[in-house]
Structures are given as C-alpha cells and as structure tokens.
Amino acid sequence: QKEVEQDPGPLSVPEGAIVSLNCTYSNSAFQYFMWYRQYSRKGPELLMYTYSSGNKEDGRFTAQVDKSSKYISLFIRDSQPSDSATYLCAMTHVGAGNMLTFGGGTRLMVKP
Amino acid sequence: DADVTQTPRNRITKTGKRIMLECSQTKGHDRMYWYRQDPGLGLRLIYYSFDVKDINKGEISDGYSVSRQAQAKFSLSLESAIPNQTALYFCATSEAGFSSQETQYFGPGTRLLVL
C-alpha cells in the first residue's frame, strides 16, 4: 500500500463549480502538507502549504487537513478553465528533512 | 529566465545506450533532487544532494547515477538505458534546513523515451 493515496481522476467539472480534491495517508508522522499544481508539459509548482490540522485559505483555494483521519483536501471555488491541471498532494515531517512523499496526482478538467 | 533549467527537454534513445540529463539552477539553493514521474505514480525520488559533497540514494536509485558538479549543477545518468526507464524526469531544488515554508522548486522536466 502506498503511503499517500490520491484518486487519479480525471475529474471533469463545469466552469464555476466547487472542486474537491483529496488525499489519504498512512504515516501519522506527517506534519507538513502541500498541494502542487502541474500544467501539461510543465514542472509542479507549489500552490498551498499547511502545517498540522486546520484550514488555510488563499483566494479561491482552501486547503484542509484532518490529521485524526489522515485526510487532506484542496477546495477550489468558482473553478476556471485555467485551473485545468494535475494536482499533486505532498507531505513531509521534521524527521524526513526536505524529503517529500507525493500522491499520484488527480487530473482536473474545468470545461467552459 | 527560468530558475531551474533542464536539458534536454526531450530525448529518444535506444536500449543499452548511456544518457545524461542535466540540471542547472540559479536560485542559490544547496539542495537538489532528481525525480521520475510515471502516470498514476506521482513523483518518485531517484537521488538527492544536500551539498556538493553529499549525495544520497532515493527510493528508486537502481540503474541511475548522479554527479554534483557544482552547487548549481546536478546531472543524472542512465548508464545502460532500458525501456522501463521511459518516463518524465524532474530536477528540483530547495533551501537547506527545515523551514516553516517547506517547498521544492521544479524544473520543466525531460521527457525520455527508451526504445
């Protein structure tokens, strides 16, 4: 079983929809949780970063962490065609240094 | 100009050939990483280097080697390429130490096809 699980999609939604992307993990040591966005033929770029449990909001994006359930989510409000990309969750802990463990990525398509 | 560059961007090679992928960065970061990406498997770490004299194996290092020529340069070699090394390869960098804003910066990737 992989340490971090993520539904590969593709997830197709109409423009303006609320999107929910999720990851589950098995290692309770993870403390830092990230969401990367990867456009086609590009490298991943950091989108959101959260520490421990709780919510963090940045514009249309909200990252949510539930450590008790080992479950993290990324919500996108008022989704736009430009949000079409693959979203990768990643996580780490102090003992792992800078080593990130990635989920497999979810491909999102927002249709006009 | 891009902070993390990779060359070549695309490469087709034959089984058994030696191939080198190169990465350069202008971010001034000490730490550099090589990942491969396969559909549905996310990013898997091949090798990482915390400074010029410190190189470590990652999750899937078999069949690969690396060279850290300078703080800004980190190369990945496939000594004898095989078809299951066909993948998208990414270089990444990060600052030293463990800060509260942990992130890695990725290059644009090299698409490798081994026939």
Side-chain angles (χ1 to χ4, degrees):
Chain A
Q1 183 186 3
K2 293 173 62 175
E3 268 193 298
V4 181
E5 298 280 357
Q6 190 174 2
D7 188 327
L11 178 62
S12 182
V13 300
E15 182 175 355
I18 297 174
V19 175
S20 173
L21 303 168
N22 311 295
C23 286
T24 59
Y25 62 95
S26 57
N27 187 349
S28 58
F30 287 136
Q31 302 167 280
Y32 299 86
F33 304 91
M34 285 139 272
W35 286 95
Y36 281 81
R37 179 175 61 195
Q38 184 179 16
Y39 290 115
S40 181
R41 299 190 178 277
K42 300 284 187 181
E45 56 179 347
L46 183 67
L47 185 63
M48 294 284 288
Y49 172 97
T50 54
Y51 170 68
S52 196
S53 289
N55 291 2
K56 182 175 181 179
E57 189 173 321
D58 184 1
R60 296 185 295 110
F61 299 89
T62 299
Q64 188 175 80
V65 174
D66 182 350
K67 289 193 72 180
S68 63
S69 301
K70 298 190 182 69
Y71 188 88
I72 68 171
S73 299
L74 177 70
F75 298 97
I76 307 174
R77 291 186 301 279
D78 187 25
S79 56
Q80 302 295 309
S82 59
D83 294 327
S84 298
T86 296
Y87 291 80
L88 298 145
C89 64
M91 46 199 79
T92 188
H93 57 90
V94 173
N98 285 60
M99 299 301 105
L100 298 178
T101 301
F102 285 87
T106 298
R107 184 176 167 215
L108 172 66
M109 295 184 293
V110 181
K111 299 191 174 183
Chain B
D1 289 341
D3 295 319
V4 184
T5 57
Q6 292 183 236
T7 55
R9 292 295 312 278
N10 296 279
R11 181 72 182 266
I12 300 174
T13 192
K14 294 182 179 180
T15 297
K17 293 291 187 181
R18 184 179 187 275
I19 182 171
M20 179 181 287
L21 309 182
E22 298 186 338
C23 176
S24 295
Q25 54 112 347
T26 59
K27 299 191 74 66
H29 289 167
D30 286 324
R31 301 186 174 196
M32 299 187 73
Y33 311 79
W34 274 106
Y35 291 91
R36 66 176 279 174
Q37 186 176 38
D38 300 276
L41 296 179
L43 291 156
R44 293 183 292 166
L45 185 64
I46 305 172
Y47 270 94
Y48 61 101
S49 171
F50 282 179
D51 64 40
V52 174
K53 296 181 181 179
D54 180 40
I55 292 178
N56 305 278
K57 293 182 177 180
E59 178 187 355
I60 53 165
S61 59
D62 288 348
Y64 302 94
S65 63
V66 291
S67 173
R68 185 80 183 268
Q69 298 96 326
Q71 185 203 38
K73 296 183 182 297
F74 192 35
S75 300
L76 176 72
S77 293
L78 287 67
E79 296 300 327
S80 180
I82 55 177
N84 78 357
Q85 291 178 312
T86 292
L88 191 53
Y89 290 84
F90 287 102
C91 174
T93 74
S94 69
E95 295 184 59
F98 199 92
S99 68
S100 60
Q101 185 67 31
E102 195 61 39
T103 189
Q104 293 182 12
Y105 297 87
F106 286 83
T110 294
R111 192 170 295 272
L112 177 65
L113 174 61
V114 183
L115 300 175

mmCIF file of all heavy atoms in Angstrom, chain A residues 3 28 43 47 81:
data_model
loop_
_atom_site.group_PDB
_atom_site.id
_atom_site.type_symbol
_atom_site.label_atom_id
_atom_site.label_comp_id
_atom_site.label_asym_id
_atom_site.label_seq_id
_atom_site.Cartn_x
_atom_site.Cartn_y
_atom_site.Cartn_z
ATOM 1 N N GLU A 3 2.082 5.051 0.697
ATOM 2 C CA GLU A 3 1.949 5.917 1.872
ATOM 3 C C GLU A 3 0.922 7.011 1.662
ATOM 4 O O GLU A 3 0.259 7.442 2.617
ATOM 5 C CB GLU A 3 3.296 6.557 2.206
ATOM 6 C CG GLU A 3 4.136 5.787 3.200
ATOM 7 C CD GLU A 3 5.278 6.617 3.721
ATOM 8 O OE1 GLU A 3 6.130 7.021 2.898
ATOM 9 O OE2 GLU A 3 5.328 6.862 4.937
ATOM 10 N N SER A 28 1.443 8.596 10.308
ATOM 11 C CA SER A 28 0.958 9.599 11.251
ATOM 12 C C SER A 28 2.026 10.643 11.594
ATOM 13 O O SER A 28 1.731 11.648 12.246
ATOM 14 C CB SER A 28 0.457 8.924 12.534
ATOM 15 O OG SER A 28 1.492 8.166 13.130
ATOM 16 N N GLY A 43 6.715 21.572 -14.977
ATOM 17 C CA GLY A 43 7.038 21.030 -13.673
ATOM 18 C C GLY A 43 6.007 21.441 -12.635
ATOM 19 O O GLY A 43 5.303 22.434 -12.803
ATOM 20 N N LEU A 47 1.318 25.252 -4.668
ATOM 21 C CA LEU A 47 0.069 26.005 -4.672
ATOM 22 C C LEU A 47 -0.344 26.392 -3.254
ATOM 23 O O LEU A 47 -0.695 27.531 -2.981
ATOM 24 C CB LEU A 47 -1.023 25.157 -5.329
ATOM 25 C CG LEU A 47 -2.382 25.774 -5.551
ATOM 26 C CD1 LEU A 47 -2.291 26.963 -6.503
ATOM 27 C CD2 LEU A 47 -3.354 24.729 -6.110
ATOM 28 N N PRO A 81 -11.453 27.456 -16.329
ATOM 29 C CA PRO A 81 -10.725 26.580 -17.264
ATOM 30 C C PRO A 81 -9.211 26.598 -17.028
ATOM 31 O O PRO A 81 -8.540 25.580 -17.239
ATOM 32 C CB PRO A 81 -11.100 27.156 -18.629
ATOM 33 C CG PRO A 81 -12.468 27.734 -18.421
ATOM 34 C CD PRO A 81 -12.432 28.310 -17.024
#
